[in-house]
Amino acid sequence: MRELIDRAAIELINSRYAIVLTGAGMSTESGIPDFRGPKGIWTTNKEAEAKAYERYELFLRSPQAYWEEMLGGEGTHGAFYREVRKAEPNTGHYALAELEKLGIVKCVITQNIDGLHRKAGTSNVIEYHGSVHKLRCPSCGSRCGFEVLAPEKLPPYCQCGGVMKYDVVHFKEPIPFDVIEQAEREALECDLMLICGTSAVVYPFASLPRAAKPSYASSTTVIEINAEPTQLTHEGISDYLIQGKTGEILPQIADSIKMKVQQNR
Ligand code: NAD
């Protein structure tokens, strides 16, 4: 493990344009469960998984019922979002923010909806699946805060006349075009991709590592940090896996980088 941490540190120092992809595993140490890990929400509750696949259709069919669910009490998905909004970053989020400040990490593309990368201080973040901290109008694409939300007058409307939803991209909902475009640009630009805490099975996000490394001969380095091997490990898309917790491994990589940079001064 130590060898792989030092190898990753050296490769990050030598990279021209390193980017980071993150998933739900990145935030389990902040108390937010993932979906598919051993203690994941869907691993332990199959009904929650089935409901998640219906949420976008519910919004299209009845925005009022969608918002009633989102503002509902304990046990509803809305209550889960409100808990997520209160979460705090962990040592992994802070380590990535530090790597951005050192000029090594150029961009973080996250599937997480919790806003914890920004809270930890990373500035260039693409929230691929949106955020629980905002609302979005699917008609014109504009985003805003919760000030437009009045529980006695549901659903909330955008100035363009469209109905607003959570900015979160629900299953079966298209990813906003601006987000897809920015993320693809970053994946094609990078020469090193660090992938943290994702099972990498949700598309189109899961296509980003494959775009960065279209063949074994590609010179892009792909490094995974995950609690368990994933599809990317099995398919050989990642060059290697550092197996363990992101909240423990990322700070060690950041420390190793700082030490090596100081030694070379
Ligand atoms: P996933 O649940 O499919 O996979 C998470 C992966 O992370 C698993 O392989 C798990 O073993 C690993 N993992 C768990 N804890 C870890 C840790 N501390 N360190 C390293 N690895 C760890 O999650 P996904 O691939 O991100 O896809 C699920 C979807 O769920 C995404 O679209 C995301 O938007 C959404 N989601 C987000 C949050 C959040 O915002 N925090 C939470 C749950 C789900």
Side-chain angles (χ1 to χ4, degrees), residues 23-25 27-29 32-38 111-114 129 197-200 202 226-228 244-246:
S27 296
T28 52
E29 290 161 89
I32 306 171
D34 60 13
F35 280 165
R36 300 179 188 81
Q111 292 172 94
N112 295 345
I113 55 171
D114 52 36
H129 290 157
T198 175
S199 59
V202 178
N226 210 73
E228 57 190 358
K245 292 184 174 179
T246 49

Side-chain angles (χ1 to χ4, degrees), residues 35 40-50 75:
F35 280 165
I41 301 173
W42 293 356
T43 315
T44 54
N45 183 351
K46 288 287 157 206
E47 202 190 320
E49 178 168 9

Side-chain angles (χ1 to χ4, degrees), residues 21-26 34-37 42 109-112 128-129 171 193-211 222-238 241:
L21 263 54
T22 70
M26 186 79 214
D34 60 13
F35 280 165
R36 300 179 188 81
W42 293 356
I109 309 175
T110 187
Q111 292 172 94
N112 295 345
Y128 202 85
H129 290 157
F171 284 94
M193 186 180 266
L194 179 62
I195 306 177
C196 305
T198 175
S199 59
V201 295
V202 178
Y203 279 82
F205 185 90
S207 65
L208 295 173
R210 292 162 173 93
V222 177
I223 307 167
E224 269 189 288
I225 304 175
N226 210 73
E228 57 190 358
T230 70
Q231 219 33 52
L232 301 175
T233 332
H234 298 310
E235 288 173 30
I237 289 172
S238 59
L241 163 72

